[in-house]
Amino acid sequence: MTAYPLDVARPAFLDTLDGLSALLDHVDDTDLHARSRCHGWLAADVLAHLHLGLVEMLAGFPARTDRPADADLATYWTAPPPGSEQPGWAHERFARAVAAAYARPTGQVAHVATTVRGLRRLVADLERPYRLEFQGVVLNVGDFVATWVVEVVVHHLDMTVVLPDAPAPPASGLAVVRETVLRLAGDAAVAGWDLTSVTCLSASPRADGARRGGPVCRRGRRAGRSAGCR
């Protein structure tokens, strides 16, 4: 299995974090209380879900292993997830409860910023490839980081569905999403689509048949929950 280059994934992830930070600097309480692209979720609910995932990412880096990789940035999303016996709405309720625990929707932003700063330092310092175990699979660290580029970029767009003037995800992050979708669905499925359209497609019901439960929904089920994007 060919590893996704860390030298590509690392700057794309750092750019993607910059894009997320720019978005969070842009939004106010009303923006986060608006609907998202995820069915039944407010933007604040999506942010709570994303933050829970980023904390999980932080915890994943130390789990080094000598075992060979058995998943990559694309097949990670299709492997049978542990905890999939959980009802689909379990994490939806949890994410909403987390978001609602803040006195105001933007109350989350400072906590997310702290996690983003920690991830930025950790990923920027990654110099040599290695393999790690995460949620039942073994990934090269470049592939691991690339899956989180997808997670952040797609949810970035989820939160801006009614905010046309919001900062967009970076081109480097969109390119990683496109690579993932191409590997999952093939060239024909996204022919003629630009990077942003492909990214929106990856979180859309239109992609379900082609990608077999691909980006974002996969992340939620991996931890015994559903991301709510369908």
Side-chain angles (χ1 to χ4, degrees):
M1 182 172 294
T2 302
Y4 192 76
L6 179 58
D7 287 347
V8 176
R10 179 177 53 230
F13 183 72
L14 296 176
D15 290 346
T16 298
L17 289 184
D18 287 344
L20 177 63
S21 297
L23 172 63
L24 296 182
D25 287 341
H26 176 85
V27 298
D28 58 21
D29 290 314
T30 300
D31 297 330
L32 288 178
H33 201 63
R35 68 179 177 87
S36 75
R37 185 172 279 105
C38 297
H39 175 71
W41 288 43
L42 300 177
D45 304 332
V46 175
L47 182 58
H49 162 75
L50 178 58
H51 187 208
L52 290 166
L54 293 176
V55 171
E56 190 175 15
M57 182 190 187
L58 270 174
F61 281 105
R64 296 179 180 236
T65 182
D66 292 329
R67 291 170 52 203
D70 55 18
D72 62 19
L73 80 160
T75 61
Y76 166 81
W77 301 103
T78 61
S84 56
E85 72 282 355
Q86 294 279 343
W89 39 260
H91 181 64
E92 295 177 27
R93 290 170 59 88
F94 184 73
R96 289 185 189 128
V98 170
Y102 290 89
R104 55 193 302 172
T106 52
Q108 299 185 68
V109 171
H111 289 160
V112 176
T114 297
T115 302
V116 165
R117 284 195 298 271
L119 279 170
R120 166 167 282 287
R121 288 193 294 268
L122 194 159
V123 173
D125 288 342
L126 290 174
E127 295 182 356
R128 296 187 180 186
Y130 66 93
R131 294 184 297 279
L132 57 85
E133 297 184 59
F134 186 73
Q135 296 180 342
V137 298
V138 176
L139 293 155
N140 289 290
V141 70
D143 290 272
F144 177 67
V145 172
T147 68
W148 287 98
V149 173
V150 173
E151 185 85 359
V152 176
V153 167
V154 171
H155 281 321
H156 181 136
L157 290 174
D158 287 335
M159 290 187 283
T160 61
V161 65
V162 295
L163 301 174
D165 296 328
S172 58
L174 291 167
V176 175
V177 178
R178 182 179 179 85
E179 173 68 17
T180 302
V181 174
L182 285 173
R183 292 194 190 190
L184 286 167
D187 291 346
V190 295
W193 290 70
D194 61 25
L195 289 177
T196 300
S197 299
V198 169
T199 305
C200 292
L201 176 69
S202 73
S204 164
R206 294 185 301 250
D208 286 345
R211 62 184 171 81
R212 301 190 184 97
V216 186
C217 293
R218 166 68 174 165
R219 182 82 67 196
R221 293 199 306 271
R222 269 283 186 192
R225 56 184 186 267
S226 169
C229 296
R230 28 185 178 275

